[in-house]
Amino acid sequence: MPTKWILVMQVASPIRRHHSQRKTLIGLGLNRIRRQRILPNTPEVRGMLCKVKHLVRVFDGPLMGEITPAKKNVFDVLRRFNRRVTRTEQSAFWRRFATQVPNVISRMDKMTFKRTGDARFEMQGIIHSSLEDFDQDAIAAFVLDYRQYTQKNDAISIASLAEIYSQPWMHVGARKNFEEFRVHFNRALDAPSTLIFGTHHISTRELVETVVYGGLAHSNSEKAATFESWEGSGIMGFVWAVFFAAMRDLMRTLKQVRLLNEQVLSLADPEGVQDA
């Protein structure tokens, strides 16, 4: 069975050759000697490679050494992760909010205004906020998957995959791509959210963990108390909006890692890739 992905490296320069060959190299994401790309093994890509076959080398797998029993176990983890991401993608929560931004409905009662400068004023009142057509059951189901991806002791967590991608036999390009995805997601979580409580600018990670472990999983008493205080304050519509945005960012990262896993499986274990 043909692999879904192939590894291609440019080995010669297009200088003094027809300009169309340079354009083809650029279209393949190459155009520099020793630059490598993992490309889909499609008739279109194979046709482009045929035009520049004297300038590139196509590597056939397995490309990451002997397939040992330990590596087979690793590949099984990657396949399990991919199947889980596909299941998460098909969940009611994700089907609804993959592209839709939930509307926050807010109202303030007993409003008072106080001028504090020429162009500044303070507002005080009771806030009521909620999400339009809110379905907490769908969120609770999605959070079970979230915990699998983020808890370090889970076999298919991002942390567990990081150990796989740090293995010495792993292709350096795959390792680099995985770290970029992981860094991007962690940076997004650690960034300040749009909510400020007094002088405290809460991070997205702090908000997400309070919702997950305090409001939905009830596994952390301190976070549960914080979540209950949020519920009583009338700001939950804004909290859920930030939470949904973070989950969309997580899902984008999971889909990127799933694609990377497919590429690794295709290059490292071509005979077993049909089981992914």
Side-chain angles (χ1 to χ4, degrees):
M1 180 177 180
T3 59
K4 292 177 63 176
W5 302 92
I6 51 177
L7 179 64
V8 180
M9 182 172 71
Q10 184 174 332
V11 296
S13 171
I15 293 175
R16 293 191 296 274
R17 299 184 185 275
H18 195 273
H19 65 85
S20 64
Q21 296 182 22
R22 179 183 295 276
K23 289 184 178 180
T24 300
L25 290 172
I26 293 173
L28 292 167
L30 299 170
N31 201 36
R32 182 181 299 173
I33 293 178
R34 300 195 65 79
R35 175 173 286 176
Q36 300 180 26
R37 286 289 183 269
I38 298 175
L39 302 171
N41 189 9
T42 63
E44 293 78 11
V45 169
R46 284 290 185 179
M48 295 173 70
L49 291 172
C50 187
K51 295 177 181 178
V52 292
K53 60 183 179 182
H54 51 295
L55 304 177
V56 300
R57 180 181 174 191
V58 179
F59 294 86
D60 293 321
L63 300 177
M64 300 181 196
E66 178 187 358
I67 308 300
T68 63
K71 282 186 184 178
K72 285 188 175 181
N73 290 336
V74 164
F75 299 151
D76 285 342
V77 171
L78 299 185
R79 294 186 183 98
R80 285 173 53 203
F81 178 93
N82 284 7
R83 288 194 293 268
R84 187 72 184 194
V85 172
T86 299
R87 197 181 90 174
T88 303
E89 192 177 19
Q90 295 168 349
S91 68
F93 174 89
W94 181 249
R95 286 200 309 270
R96 179 179 175 189
F97 294 112
T99 56
Q100 175 186 346
V101 178
N103 293 320
V104 179
I105 302 170
S106 61
R107 186 181 80 252
M108 293 188 72
D109 294 336
K110 301 180 181 179
M111 292 289 299
T112 61
F113 294 85
K114 179 181 178 181
R115 184 179 293 277
T116 58
D118 291 340
R120 299 179 62 186
F121 61 90
E122 292 180 354
M123 294 189 303
Q124 290 187 347
I126 301 173
I127 300 175
H128 305 276
S129 67
S130 61
L131 287 190
E132 195 174 42
D133 193 19
F134 182 63
D135 185 352
Q136 187 160 328
D137 289 340
I139 296 172
F142 181 86
V143 163
L144 292 176
D145 287 353
Y146 171 86
R147 296 179 70 185
Q148 275 202 300
Y149 298 129
T150 57
Q151 291 183 337
K152 293 182 180 180
N153 60 349
D154 197 287
I156 63 168
S157 68
I158 296 294
S160 296
L161 262 63
E163 294 182 7
I164 292 175
Y165 276 91
S166 67
Q167 295 296 315
W169 52 263
M170 180 62 68
H171 187 270
V172 63
R175 185 183 305 123
K176 179 181 177 182
N177 286 345
F178 178 84
E179 280 306 313
E180 287 177 352
F181 299 152
R182 191 183 185 198
V183 166
H184 167 81
F185 178 64
N186 281 321
R187 186 179 294 128
L189 276 180
D190 292 329
S193 72
T194 55
L195 295 181
I196 303 175
F197 301 127
T199 59
H200 179 48
H201 206 153
I202 186 171
S203 72
T204 300
R205 186 188 298 275
E206 186 179 354
L207 183 145
V208 167
E209 290 185 352
T210 299
V211 170
V212 171
Y213 300 108
L216 298 176
H218 307 291
S219 59
N220 183 296
S221 58
E222 182 178 348
K223 287 181 170 56
T226 300
F227 185 83
E228 289 174 4
S229 72
W230 290 355
E231 286 187 309
S233 69
I235 64 165
M236 282 308 298
F238 302 107
V239 170
W240 286 121
V242 174
F243 178 79
F244 284 6
M247 293 305 98
R248 284 197 298 272
D249 204 38
L250 168 67
M251 197 65 210
R252 282 192 292 269
T253 299
L254 295 176
K255 291 166 70 174
Q256 289 172 326
V257 173
R258 179 179 62 186
L259 178 59
L260 182 61
N261 288 346
E262 289 178 3
Q263 295 171 342
V264 167
L265 288 166
S266 187
L267 297 175
D269 187 18
E271 296 302 319
V273 73
Q274 60 264 37
D275 298 326

